[in-house]
Amino acid sequence: QVQLVQSGGGSVQDGGSLTLSCELSDEATSRYYCMGWFRQAPGLEREGVADIDDIGRTRYVDSVKGRFTVTRDDGKNTLYLQMDSLKPEDSAMYYCAAHSSPGGVCYGSGPTASFIDYWGQGTQVTVSS
């Protein structure tokens, strides 16, 4: 059974930084999964933020490019999201996500919820002005 267990998040002021972590629990390995982050603010649809395939190719939504960095450590089956220069509009519930694929390739033209097989429990990020 695959589980994604998130940690990190919290509250910071405008311009601050936070790091999110997500451990994939599986009998196999994270190497065969595309992994990424989504977020959902109240009243809005869930939005793809960033994803990374098993050879480290990354994709980001335009609003976070240059501020967020997604990385993965397959030895630890762990995904990270470093968030710098945070803005109040980044406030949302953040979800770790993964979908299995041959070679851990990420499907679609960007992080897409319809491809996701597994979701983390979510963690709140709040940025105050």
Side-chain angles (χ1 to χ4, degrees):
Q1 182 178 358
V2 175
Q3 288 187 319
L4 298 175
V5 179
Q6 298 180 222
S7 59
S11 298
V12 294
Q13 291 193 326
D14 192 353
S17 297
L18 286 172
T19 302
L20 305 182
S21 300
C22 172
E23 183 175 358
L24 184 148
S25 173
D26 185 9
E27 292 183 353
T29 172
S30 64
R31 285 185 57 204
Y32 303 107
Y33 295 90
C34 167
M35 300 184 73
W37 296 95
F38 290 74
R39 65 186 179 186
Q40 189 167 18
L44 298 180
E45 292 187 354
R46 192 167 294 191
E47 173 189 40
V49 175
D51 64 14
I52 182 169
D53 67 13
D54 77 335
I55 61 171
R57 292 176 297 192
T58 58
R59 304 183 300 185
Y60 297 92
V61 67
D62 286 347
S63 60
V64 307
K65 286 180 180 177
R67 300 188 298 119
F68 289 13
T69 304
V70 60
T71 57
R72 60 193 289 170
D73 182 340
D74 289 332
K76 297 180 179 179
N77 280 6
T78 301
L79 175 74
Y80 303 95
L81 184 68
Q82 176 66 40
M83 303 183 291
D84 298 317
S85 302
L86 281 160
K87 304 175 181 181
E89 52 263 43
D90 295 317
S91 297
M93 186 72 77
Y94 281 71
Y95 296 90
C96 173
H99 70 75
S100 60
S101 67
V105 173
C106 293
Y107 294 148
S109 58
T112 306
S114 60
F115 292 124
I116 299 302
D117 297 318
Y118 309 103
W119 294 97
Q121 79 275 21
T123 187
Q124 181 67 39
V125 170
T126 302
V127 185
S128 57
S129 57

